[in-house]
Amino acid sequence: MRIGNCSGFYGDRLSAMREMLEGGQLDVLTGDYLAELTMLILGKDTMKDPSLGYAKTHVRQLEDCMGSALERGVKIVSNAGGLNPAGLADRLREVAKGLGLDPAVAHVEGDDVRSLGQEIGLRDNALTANAYLGGFGIAAALRGGADVVVTGRVTDASLVVGPAVAHFGWTPTSYDELAGAVVAGHILECGTQATGGNFSGFKTLPHDGRPLGFPLAELAADGSSVITKHAGTGGAVTVDTVTAQLVYEIQSARYLNPDVTTHLDSIHLREVGPDRVEVSGVRGEAPPERLKVCVNELGGFRNTVELVLTGLDIDAKADWVREQLTPALTASEVSWTRTALPPADADTEEGASSLLRCTVKDASPDPVGRRFTSAAVELALASYPGFTMTGPPAQPTPYGVYRAAYVDRTSVTHTVVHADGSREVVADPTEFSQVDHEDGLRPSPYPAPTDSLTRRVPLGTFVHARSGDKGGDANLGLWVARDGSGKYDARVTWLAKLLTPRKVRELVPEAADLDVEVYVLPNLGAVNVLIRGLLGDGVAASPRFDPQAKGLGEWVRSRMVHVQEGLL
């Protein structure tokens, strides 16, 4: 079966659904709209209007494309329901009626576990709490005749697992097949990231002005797949672009999903044609006994001022304004960061400048509102020479704090609401893995001695990277580029020996006091790094310059390392 993707996040290219439907043959078109931060955004929407809580852009896409999908017999499966899948299903029926169409719209619910309260440690400031569900509810909806299925918080890969289960008739113990579908789903879930988006080897891609095409998977009954894209679309599908997505935002070598535990170190990739990469050999085992829960809590309010320091005496200017502003700051949390010193004799004013940021957070808006911004503005004529800001002071904004919780499956009722209104409860698995979400796998040991290294070059000389966020943790995937040099195997061995937790802390000094886990994925020529706590309380609360760790990989690639002459 051919399964495509038309959305990697809430805000992705609106035209992608039409492009995918009209670009070539598909059986199912999926869309991923949810992330930990998105659940917070949708939670804020429901505070304003309880009838919302879903991805409104999905309504616009289907208003444009529903007729085309029905005509072509393409099933639409998405997690755009967010916090209100029933509300989205009703809205889509209204839109269809207005278009003179009558699709069977089903939805999957049961992920909202706020009612569990103390069982998952919810506090009064809890905004959302959603368990990650698997793909068997989607499968039941499709077997029931649904043309459109919308869900709440299922795992991203479940959008592919569900249709595959319905199509191939897999059972809950078809572990290798399910694991293969999880891998295909993980590759597709972020849209054009699998076709060259955010790819550290972007210079090797065709640059012809065409927008990157969205990916699709040709999935086989044994769980293997070929990742490709529609002909004539931009970007490329290569072993490296697929690897880039495979190592994105994973944790250990076992990828825990509600339906199966996938062995990421079993994956084999092979180019089988232009823009065609085969994924095979994937192995799976029973899923974890508990379900992960995404909890978003209202953390308080935050605000930032950004000061421009120009020319000479940058350090002294920064010290003076901090001394002046600090006594007036009453917020419970204050963070200062500064960009690098400018070069000497810069030939533009911007090039001769550095930015000093002060970010404040507090449970109340008052200490981070006018009290904070006025104290900064009042220094305009009373501080360092050249005092200016990058923008006018802003109003405080609420921020959320993400944390993961875990619940027994018996506490969650995974439910399908079919198009005719009938309800079906999805049965839980009966066999479970001994590895749980909080346990994972410990890193592999690194007993090999240090090699004799002779040249100092950027790590990215022959190593690609992709990074991102997992709650408060940062994920960093690094793998050896397949450049046809004939040195691939030796470089993979070198990378695996180089990247010990100690070396990661050296490359990322901010991680000096943090737990670092390193996992080797030899079939991918990759090493996955998990830096615990680098992002604090998660994306919405982090005062970091790059709160989602999206640029972490590119920074690490620019770091200098010693490499044997023979590997270059």
Side-chain angles (χ1 to χ4, degrees), residues 2 19 22-24 210 214 216 228-234 275:
R2 287 169 61 92
E19 293 167 16
E22 297 180 349
R210 295 177 299 173
F214 278 71
L216 62 93
T228 185
K229 63 186 183 69
H230 285 325
T233 58
D275 292 319

Side-chain angles (χ1 to χ4, degrees), residues 30 45 196 210 212 221 290 339 366 392 406 423 454 468 529 539 555:
T30 66
D45 283 351
R210 295 177 299 173
L212 298 184
R290 296 186 299 165
T339 59
D366 294 337
Y406 304 90
R423 303 174 69 86
T454 57
V529 178
V539 174
W555 173 39

